[in-house]
Amino acid sequence: MSAAPRVPPFSPSSVTAPRVTAPRVAPPRVLTVAGSDSGGGAGIQADLKTMLALGVHGMSVLTAVTAQNSLGVQGAWELPVEAVRAQYRSVVDDIGVQAVKTGMLASAELVEAVAELVGGTHAPVVVDPVGVSKHGDPLLASSALDSVRTKLLPVATVATPNLDEVAQLTGVRVESADGMRRAAAAVLSYGPAWALIKGGHLSGDAVDFLTDGSDELWLRAPRFDNRHTHGTGCTLASAIAVGLAKGQTVPDAVTAAKEYVTGAIAAGFALGDGIGPVDHGWRFREDRGPGANDGREGRDGHDADGTDGA
């Protein structure tokens, strides 16, 4: 039996440090307030990957822990309000933020606490009113819907509901792109400055509609033949927050975010036995693009567009 090869001991002198000419200025800082996805495709994990890919410093406030994989959510446990509040104050009071993004908030108590926190922070807020997972698992208690309407949406710079979340929050059901103005008006009635209505559950091209009640912007992208779209809603909302943190206008931030998430969906890949994630690092890969997935159609043919729920 041959002896294992000898590995020389590590020596710090063997590592060449990069040449530093001056202290670096910190990049823009974006805070996500959301739940954890243990499978890494959505939630806090997707938010931080998006922020890194788009060149900002991502920070997090964990609101809930999920046992989650490509097949669905097997369990969810929300954190105490005092733990969420302590995380938020710890980051904001010391490091500061240029934008905040909210995701899974689970209960009325958490929704109201987070609404109070972000409402007192002088930074734009992107609210992704997460109601269900990509697999249809509930992530928001029905008793929390009124708190989202009356506490959280009024402090949002941009609200980003998909069509299921629009119906859940407002009762408005959209069957075609023609109904998206009506959906936006219903969402805006609760107070956000802008509403981005995501048309991922419609057929045809992926169409989203952004408005503040006056200005309007329609965003269209091809629908890729790819079922691996887990994390699209989280990714889009985080990318919008990144743009706002960099000083972009809401329409410019949403346009750039749509472009990024469309590429991430085109490069989405199989993981596990169910729905795989979008590829947050698609711009860094040589094989990026539609060929980077397994070619299977989106669930029901209607969600491979970058704008569905988590």
Side-chain angles (χ1 to χ4, degrees), residues 23-122:
R24 281 200 61 202
V25 176
R29 289 144 287 166
V30 181
L31 177 63
T32 170
V33 184
S36 169
D37 172 4
S38 55
I44 287 278
Q45 288 82 350
D47 298 339
L48 293 176
K49 291 175 186 178
T50 299
M51 294 168 192
L52 177 63
L54 297 180
V56 302
H57 177 66
M59 304 170 293
S60 63
V61 170
L62 196 64
T63 61
V65 175
T66 68
Q68 187 172 171
N69 56 27
S70 70
L71 299 174
V73 178
Q74 291 78 45
W77 302 266
E78 66 185 76
L79 267 66
V81 168
E82 56 268 29
V84 171
R85 186 177 287 113
Q87 291 176 80
Y88 191 95
R89 291 263 60 94
S90 178
V91 170
V92 173
D93 294 348
D94 172 46
I95 300 172
V97 295
Q98 275 75 56
V100 181
K101 176 260 179 183
T102 71
M104 176 186 176
L105 299 181
S107 68
E109 292 78 13
L110 284 177
V111 170
E112 292 174 11
V114 170
E116 180 184 359
L117 290 165
V118 301
T121 302
H122 299 294

Side-chain angles (χ1 to χ4, degrees), residues 175-187:
E175 304 296 335
S176 69
D178 293 338
M180 295 178 80
R181 279 195 179 93
R182 185 164 54 95
V187 172

Side-chain angles (χ1 to χ4, degrees), residues 168-242:
Q168 191 178 38
L169 290 167
T170 71
V172 173
R173 299 193 176 277
V174 177
E175 304 296 335
S176 69
D178 293 338
M180 295 178 80
R181 279 195 179 93
R182 185 164 54 95
V187 172
L188 288 174
S189 70
Y190 291 113
W194 292 80
L196 175 64
I197 308 301
K198 303 179 297 190
H201 293 146
L202 300 177
S203 58
D205 284 347
V207 180
D208 302 330
F209 177 61
L210 174 71
T211 183
D212 63 352
S214 177
D215 292 337
E216 296 183 348
L217 179 64
W218 291 91
L219 300 105
R220 299 177 184 273
R223 188 178 298 278
F224 295 106
D225 206 15
N226 179 15
R227 70 191 296 262
H228 301 302
T229 57
H230 184 49
T232 52
C234 304
T235 300
L236 181 69
S238 293
I240 295 170
V242 167

Side-chain angles (χ1 to χ4, degrees), residues 134 162 198-201 231-234 299 302-310:
K134 175 71 68 182
N162 62 30
K198 303 179 297 190
H201 293 146
T232 52
C234 304
R299 178 172 59 88
H302 296 314
D303 56 358
D305 68 341
T307 54
D308 274 359

